[in-house]
Amino acid sequence: MTEPMNAPDGSIPLRMAWRNREIASQPVNQFVVSLGLPSASGRSECIHLTFGQADPPLISGSHEEMAQQLRDLGTLPVETLGRYVLTRERLGELIALLQQSAATFDGQAWGGTEDDGISG
């Protein structure tokens, strides 16, 4: 649930209804975080998050042969899976949710029973 900041008295809670929930989850192992271009004030107003997936190259042979195959490869392609823009305030909310999720995950991994239904 979220409370809009611009509501007349700030006390109108809204429930979120997620759409397109059937989208398949995709593994992500590459991340780019960059600041948006500065506005006229000289400050960035947003943070750009880019998520991607890089598969390890298929190499084989002796140690020397594999090293040469990696040198010949030159670059490893990364498939961009999503690009997102957040305000600094929303970034703080995301960081808090990720930290809470990590703590819940760690608690379960060590035999804890914390709820895993975290959302923002």
Side-chain angles (χ1 to χ4, degrees):
M1 228 184 267
T2 187
E3 292 191 32
M5 300 300 287
N6 59 352
D9 63 6
S11 63
I12 303 172
L14 298 174
R15 293 187 58 80
M16 296 291 178
W18 287 85
R19 300 184 309 180
N20 302 321
R21 294 171 57 173
E22 296 78 29
I23 294 174
S25 296
Q26 298 181 30
V28 174
N29 63 8
Q30 301 300 309
F31 314 92
V32 176
V33 179
S34 57
L35 297 179
L37 295 174
S39 65
S41 69
R43 295 186 58 186
S44 176
E45 297 178 352
C46 60
I47 293 96
H48 293 259
L49 306 176
T50 303
F51 298 108
Q53 170 68 29
D55 291 323
L58 297 174
I59 58 174
S60 63
S62 68
H63 181 72
E64 293 80 20
E65 291 170 330
M66 290 189 293
Q68 185 60 49
Q69 290 171 34
L70 288 173
R71 282 190 290 278
D72 292 344
L73 182 64
T75 61
L76 185 63
V78 177
E79 185 71 28
T80 300
L81 300 175
R83 299 187 72 192
Y84 307 94
V85 180
L86 296 119
T87 62
R88 175 60 182 97
E89 185 174 1
R90 288 294 191 187
L91 178 66
E93 292 173 10
L94 177 59
I95 290 168
L97 282 171
L98 291 172
Q99 289 174 332
Q100 184 179 358
S101 295
T104 299
F105 181 90
D106 293 344
Q108 290 177 352
W110 299 106
T113 59
E114 294 184 48
D115 180 28
D116 66 355
I118 299 168
S119 66

